[in-house]
Amino acid sequence: MPRLDWRMWFAALGSGRAEGWFLVFCQRLLEGSEPVGGLLAADPFPDVPPRFIRATVYRYRFTDPDTRRSTGAWWTRERQGLYVPVLTLDAGRLAPARLPDS
């Protein structure tokens, strides 16, 4: 499938190891690649590329009719875990981020 959203959906169904293309996607977002930012409905980083990026997997389910009526929500979601840890660029290469303790 050539569409980014479908590729991400199928990748998240996998074994939990990030697909090679997805890591390249992350690297290009960190580099501020305009063509890659253009793959998104709206570039979340229009002025300055991010310093850090991560991907989290969620399981989405339709709400039941009562929840839909009372909240207006079509979906509920449950966090499954990280797909890729926090990443950054180190000397131009994709690398795990060393974040300060919070």
Side-chain angles (χ1 to χ4, degrees):
M1 290 277 187
R3 286 185 42 175
L4 179 61
D5 56 339
W6 277 99
R7 293 199 61 169
M8 291 172 77
W9 185 80
F10 280 111
L13 293 175
S15 66
R17 270 187 93 198
E19 300 268 340
W21 70 265
F22 188 78
L23 294 174
V24 172
F25 174 72
C26 291
Q27 180 170 348
R28 297 297 181 258
L29 286 174
L30 289 165
E31 293 170 344
S33 167
E34 287 185 31
V36 171
L39 294 172
L40 305 172
D43 186 350
F45 319 109
D47 301 320
V48 178
R51 289 185 51 210
F52 305 101
I53 195 164
R54 72 171 178 209
T56 305
V57 176
Y58 288 87
R59 173 172 291 206
Y60 283 81
R61 294 198 174 133
F62 281 111
T63 57
D64 58 56
D66 290 336
T67 303
R68 171 75 178 118
R69 272 191 296 279
S70 65
T71 68
W74 285 98
W75 303 97
T76 60
R77 72 179 191 172
E78 177 184 342
R79 187 176 190 273
Q80 300 293 297
L82 288 178
Y83 183 62
V84 295
V86 179
L87 301 170
T88 192
L89 292 178
D90 184 7
R93 301 188 71 181
L94 196 61
R98 294 184 203 127
L99 300 174
D101 294 329
S102 40

